[in-house]
Amino acid sequence: ESLRAMADEVLRRLDDCDPPEIAIVLHAAAQLRFPDREKLFEVLVPHVRENIGSFSARHLAVCFHAAARVSIRDDELCRLVAQRFTRDLADVDALALTSAVYACGLVAFLDGAFF
């Protein structure tokens, strides 16, 4: 019950959350099972997609990986992540890159940009 309440609070305060906080929330939600977890992803994944430019590569990779861990495949987010990582490849650290590529594998997004 307390996890559901925390998720509701995050959604209520979404406009006040910055990308690192959203990445942490999605990462934690992917690890834990609680009622309405899907609702959290249904709101936060589009939020990430719509605000992708404000996310660092690492925070974007964490969000993408978290969604993939719970079997959420958002084709637009997949495409945007692939574009971002190929465009900024020289500036992307190895952990972010491997996390994003692994997430592509989890959701079977085999775009020519990565593969």
Side-chain angles (χ1 to χ4, degrees):
E1 188 64 33
S2 62
L3 289 173
R4 177 189 290 169
M6 288 188 317
D8 288 342
E9 190 65 18
V10 166
L11 294 176
R12 191 177 72 72
R13 297 180 181 198
L14 183 57
D15 291 338
D16 297 328
C17 293
D18 61 17
E21 292 168 330
I22 291 171
I24 289 168
V25 167
L26 285 175
H27 177 71
Q31 307 300 319
L32 304 169
R33 298 201 185 284
F34 58 93
D36 296 333
R37 177 175 78 168
E38 291 77 20
K39 177 181 161 187
L40 187 66
F41 279 92
E42 287 172 7
V43 172
L44 291 182
V45 169
H47 178 81
V48 171
R49 187 179 61 236
E50 293 161 9
N51 296 283
I52 199 163
S54 65
F55 283 79
S56 70
R58 178 167 289 181
H59 293 128
L60 182 56
V62 169
C63 294
F64 185 44
H65 185 259
R69 292 256 340 237
V70 297
S71 301
I72 293 175
R73 178 185 168 137
D74 182 300
D75 286 342
E76 182 67 11
L77 180 61
C78 293
R79 188 184 62 73
L80 290 170
V81 168
Q83 285 178 346
R84 167 87 174 270
F85 275 64
T86 54
R87 183 190 71 215
D88 300 337
L89 190 58
D91 299 323
V92 174
D93 64 65
L95 181 59
L97 181 60
T98 55
S99 184
V101 170
Y102 181 69
C104 284
L106 287 174
V107 294
F109 183 75
L110 305 176
D111 180 76
F114 280 140
F115 303 98

